[in-house]
Amino acid sequence: MTKELLIVIDTQSVSLSEIQRTPDKISGKIAGEPFSYLIVSEKDGWIVLQDEAGQQHRIYLSATDTKGRRTLMMPCHDVTICAASNQRKGSALASTTASSPMPGTVQSILVKVGASVKAGDTLAMMEAMKMQIAIPAPFDGIVAEICVAEGQQVPEATELVKIEKTHV
Amino acid sequence: MKPIRTLLIANRGEIALRIIATCREMGIRTITLYSTHDAALPHRAAADQSVHLAGETLAETYLNMDAIIAIAKQTGADAIHPGYGFLSENAAFARKVVDAGLIFVGPPADVIAQMGDKITAREAALKAGIPLIPGYNGEKQDAKTLAEEAKKIGFPVIVKASAGGGGKGMRVVTHPEAFDEALAQAKGEAKNAFGDDRVFVEKYITQPRHIEVQVFSDCHGNHIHCFERECSIQRRHQKIIEESPSPALSPALREQICSTALNIASAIGYVGAGTVEFILDIDGAFYFLEMNTRLQVEHPVTEMVTGLDLVRMQIEVAEGKKLSVTQAGLKLRGHAIECRICAEDPDRQFMPATGTIEMVGHPTLRHVRLENGYIAGNAITTHYDPMLAKLIVWGETREIATDKLCQSLQDVVFAGIKTNRSYVQRILLHPCFISGETYTSFVVVHADALAVPPLSNAAQKLAIAAYLCAKPRYEAGAYHAAHHQIESIWLSSALAGFRNVS
């Protein structure tokens, strides 16, 4: 394992250094601050670590998802972690289109090409899992293109409506 | 008396498995149904026989009355259990089942129809002397009449547009002096929004709780109640957490609300498992909402505090047997809490989540029940309800049960898909939940406190350490890639590299 690593935890970038991994210990520095845990057990995704006060913590760590992230099932918090290099590409695209947040059916398109919209205006309605989901405009702009038809089934992250920014 | 030897379950997921469990104890053969999307779900494999329902839509599959009845006939079923949702409160289906010479595990069709219609249900409640939310919904619309009616109802009242919706033309009035002005505003808004300025006036419940009473009746005129459940923790009218007993009821109020529910059951000649829902006001007044003529999602809460098996009782009643328990023989013991685990993302406006279940996890504490419809490898799609499972715990006290449920959500984690797991934990740890200040507005009022908290320093360290701990094995391609191969992974050569990490 490399000794230096840049990761993204939830939405925060964190730099790690001096990472040491032996069969029974993990240690290193998080933004310069040291940490050290004994590895008590690691099996089937369940990890038991012992902190310096002797307290043991049992957590499940998921396999990576399609976006290269892993989720830690911590108390009151599902923490996502990925290597900074794995961070989702294509965010530039997302800034000019409203995309489907999840797979579902396009119920209705509420805007026409040429219409001006304000950030948060509902562009379209989708239906998924018996729920109606409003697709908001990501910013102020003019509707440039409608990319889908009403009634169409779409996978996640499909471009629904393209918008041109009115002011930068 | 007609014994049930083979039961067709016209449902899917966790409730189908729940019914199968009781049938196996009773020696009843089970038939389940599965759509193409559900071919890998455990409710197919767990039954004695499972039949494919062709088609894409619900109307072609789980709501296809004629196809389901035909399958029941072909497979030699004596009875159909509808579970909850789908066809469970469909009077036409209940009638068709009986007309086909089969037993419908539920109340008679006309009772379903009567309680399914809001107007006839209210009429039935009125006739039985059950309190309804006081209100005025008359033709006279002048300010004087409405103000007098508001006084009769008692403040606070809410003025609502008759044609309304979406909060327009709606005003809460706390004092009689403020009534005229509020009425004028509401009427003005209603006129603008709906072109109709008619309004109605209703008692405004400031801190409502959702209290429901489980009732059970046989076809020999015996009716019992199995105490209450409180289901005030809801989001957009979807229940999230349910418990019994309610922290809001004194023994006297419990007796009053439960006997009221019993009155309605006997007044309408109810048969089977039913639930009478009430709104409870802060002053102890309660009002009839509706009656559900089926087994509820949250029925295990009642089972945990009474020791009853409600599915067994449903089947016995459907066979024509007398209830095997009496009211005097029922005791409410300890405290039970249930939470619904749903595929949704609480951090993104509760957007439904999809994906593949990587690992469910299993309860490790005593008196914890997991009612779950899925196994690792199952795909969660947008075709069905986002509820994946229910986790139900019993404890000697409410405090113990709450702690155990919170702990159990560290055992049952549903990895691989976004769920409301951690959100439920945040509710359970909220001081107002702990103190029993549970009103139907809970998740809205406490929205900020229930949002995902910033990661503490200690939690961030631990998370990073856990991530790094598993990293080498993951990079070696051995990280529980296929769940059923876990044992062999531990013996595989991939682990050799793991020992050599610097």
Side-chain angles (χ1 to χ4, degrees):
Chain A
M1 183 162 18
T2 50
K3 295 195 169 193
E4 310 282 321
L5 194 62
L6 188 63
I7 61 163
V8 179
I9 175 161
D10 284 340
T11 52
Q12 195 192 344
S13 292
V14 178
S15 70
L16 309 177
S17 56
E18 295 175 40
I19 303 165
Q20 289 271 331
R21 168 69 157 89
T22 64
D24 51 11
K25 198 175 170 196
I26 181 83
S27 62
K29 284 185 172 175
I30 301 168
E33 208 187 309
F35 69 92
S36 174
Y37 290 87
L38 291 181
I39 300 165
V40 179
S41 151
E42 192 215 343
K43 193 175 193 304
D44 304 351
W46 290 100
I47 296 166
V48 181
L49 297 179
Q50 183 187 320
D51 65 25
E52 281 164 327
Q55 180 74 36
Q56 293 190 174
H57 307 269
R58 178 170 175 267
I59 319 163
Y60 188 84
L61 174 65
S62 78
T64 45
D65 66 12
T66 50
K67 287 158 195 154
R69 296 173 307 201
R70 316 188 68 184
T71 305
L72 273 150
M73 306 300 187
M74 310 251 311
C76 298
H77 203 139
D78 293 342
V79 180
T80 58
I81 301 193
C82 68
S85 56
N86 272 351
Q87 251 208 313
R88 196 176 175 184
K89 292 170 186 87
S91 54
L93 175 80
S95 69
T96 58
T97 59
S99 306
S100 53
M102 57 172 310
T105 309
V106 179
Q107 266 193 330
S108 55
I109 305 281
L110 304 171
V111 290
K112 292 210 157 57
V113 172
S116 69
V117 291
K118 289 240 175 295
D121 283 359
T122 302
L123 304 174
M125 294 298 294
M126 282 187 60
E127 195 201 67
M129 285 186 172
K130 300 199 295 186
M131 287 183 46
Q132 298 214 324
I133 301 153
I135 308 297
F139 43 76
D140 296 359
I142 308 261
V143 176
E145 189 186 337
I146 309 281
C147 316
V148 289
E150 291 185 356
Q152 190 176 329
Q153 294 256 0
V154 293
E156 187 177 342
T158 306
E159 293 183 22
L160 302 175
V161 178
K162 274 194 186 148
I163 299 170
E164 261 168 36
K165 263 191 190 174
T166 35
H167 38 76
V168 184
Chain B
M1 290 265 277
K2 196 177 161 201
I4 295 172
R5 298 207 162 84
T6 299
L7 179 73
L8 181 137
I9 301 161
N11 217 297
R12 64 186 291 281
E14 65 90 17
I15 191 61
L17 291 169
R18 164 71 192 87
I19 297 164
I20 290 172
T22 288
C23 287
R24 291 184 61 194
E25 287 184 17
M26 296 177 77
I28 294 171
R29 192 172 150 256
T30 52
I31 318 286
T32 54
L33 308 168
Y34 66 96
S35 66
T36 306
H37 298 294
D38 284 351
L41 257 56
H43 77 259
R44 177 186 177 191
D48 293 298
Q49 191 178 343
S50 196
V51 181
H52 179 235
L53 287 167
E56 265 293 307
T57 64
L58 281 178
E60 291 170 295
T61 55
Y62 296 107
L63 295 178
N64 191 338
M65 302 188 210
D66 294 331
I68 291 169
I69 291 169
I71 291 167
K73 298 294 269 184
Q74 284 157 21
T75 53
D78 316 294
I80 296 182
H81 194 308
Y84 55 70
F86 292 147
L87 296 168
S88 61
E89 289 178 289
N90 187 314
F93 181 65
R95 205 165 282 129
K96 280 188 178 206
V97 170
V98 173
D99 288 348
L102 301 167
I103 297 170
F104 179 75
V105 181
D110 51 340
V111 174
I112 298 177
Q114 184 186 15
M115 299 321 277
D117 181 297
K118 276 231 170 355
I119 294 166
T120 53
R122 280 174 71 96
E123 280 169 1
L126 262 182
K127 219 186 278 174
I130 313 296
L132 298 169
I133 295 180
Y136 172 79
N137 196 4
E139 284 301 310
K140 283 196 177 172
Q141 287 285 318
D142 61 285
K144 189 160 170 278
T145 306
L146 290 170
E148 274 167 16
E149 291 294 338
K151 213 171 285 171
K152 261 192 250 168
I153 292 162
F155 287 88
V157 297
I158 184 162
V159 181
K160 287 183 187 169
S162 301
K168 291 222 172 68
M170 206 185 271
R171 281 288 181 289
V172 175
V173 194
T174 48
H175 300 291
E177 311 84 73
F179 185 81
D180 287 353
E181 197 190 326
L183 177 68
Q185 287 172 349
K187 277 189 170 280
E189 265 182 37
K191 180 94 192 161
N192 271 335
F194 315 110
D196 177 352
D197 73 349
R198 282 178 307 147
V199 294
F200 64 95
V201 186
E202 213 175 63
K203 175 91 187 161
Y204 181 69
I205 318 282
T206 33
Q207 286 184 301
R209 291 176 189 256
H210 176 112
I211 306 282
E212 57 184 37
V213 178
Q214 177 72 55
V215 294
F216 230 106
S217 311
D218 62 22
C219 55
H220 305 280
N222 300 304
H223 306 277
I224 57 167
H225 71 77
C226 313
F227 309 105
E228 84 282 6
R229 293 183 288 258
E230 175 165 347
C231 320
S232 300
I233 308 293
Q234 312 181 346
R235 211 190 131 264
R236 293 191 175 176
H237 302 290
Q238 291 289 320
K239 296 166 185 167
I240 305 170
I241 293 174
E242 299 109 334
E243 61 184 304
S244 183
S246 161
L249 298 192
S250 64
L253 189 51
R254 170 167 306 115
E255 177 53 36
Q256 205 189 339
I257 203 164
C258 290
S259 60
T260 303
L262 214 45
N263 286 347
I264 196 162
S266 60
I268 61 171
Y270 197 72
V271 178
T275 295
V276 185
E277 297 190 337
F278 297 99
I279 284 285
L280 175 69
D281 205 349
I282 192 95
D283 60 3
F286 58 87
Y287 309 101
F288 173 78
L289 266 187
E290 61 175 359
M291 181 170 186
N292 296 318
T293 56
R294 54 168 157 87
L295 192 68
Q296 300 273 103
V297 173
E298 59 272 23
H299 76 277
V301 165
T302 298
E303 295 186 325
M304 298 286 264
V305 291
T306 59
L308 297 171
D309 178 341
L310 297 183
V311 175
R312 176 186 284 264
M313 288 164 69
Q314 279 191 301
I315 292 171
E316 288 173 349
V317 163
E319 288 176 324
K321 289 183 183 147
K322 281 189 177 163
L323 285 173
S324 54
V325 281
T326 61
Q327 193 66 62
L330 278 184
K331 291 277 175 292
L332 205 165
R333 205 181 134 256
H335 200 99
I337 308 186
E338 169 181 287
C339 71
R340 302 185 186 194
I341 301 173
C342 298
E344 60 190 17
D345 187 351
D347 307 336
R348 280 168 69 207
Q349 292 88 49
F350 295 86
M351 197 81 80
T354 58
T356 302
I357 294 176
E358 170 191 323
M359 205 264 332
V360 175
H362 52 82
T364 57
L365 304 179
R366 276 191 316 150
H367 308 306
V368 180
R369 240 170 99 170
L370 174 64
E371 301 276 318
N372 168 30
Y374 298 90
I375 50 174
N378 284 160
I380 304 303
T381 65
T382 55
H383 294 95
Y384 301 108
D385 194 272
M387 191 182 89
L388 301 175
K390 308 173 314 207
L391 196 54
I392 311 103
V393 308
W394 181 89
E396 288 79 0
T397 64
R398 185 173 187 266
E399 194 186 346
I400 294 172
T402 305
D403 283 350
K404 280 167 77 167
L405 182 54
C406 209
Q407 281 297 322
S408 296
L409 286 164
Q410 286 304 119
D411 292 330
V412 178
V413 294
F414 278 94
I417 189 151
K418 289 261 184 213
T419 73
N420 61 347
R421 179 197 73 94
S422 63
Y423 178 73
V424 170
Q425 286 180 319
R426 298 196 290 268
I427 294 175
L428 295 171
L429 291 173
H430 193 283
C432 290
F433 182 84
I434 292 168
S435 62
E437 292 163 78
T438 45
Y439 308 106
T440 53
S441 56
F442 188 93
V443 302
V444 175
V445 170
H446 303 300
D448 290 341
L450 297 176
V452 63
L455 207 53
S456 72
N457 235 347
Q460 192 194 55
K461 270 188 192 172
L462 180 63
I464 290 171
Y467 171 76
L468 293 173
C469 168
K471 204 165 181 290
R473 202 151 64 82
Y474 171 67
E475 283 170 352
Y479 194 77
H480 56 119
H483 199 70
H484 55 276
Q485 287 174 8
I486 279 163
E487 290 310 313
S488 58
I489 280 173
W490 275 95
L491 302 170
S492 78
S493 57
L495 276 177
F498 154 72
R499 297 227 165 256
N500 298 332
V501 167
S502 64

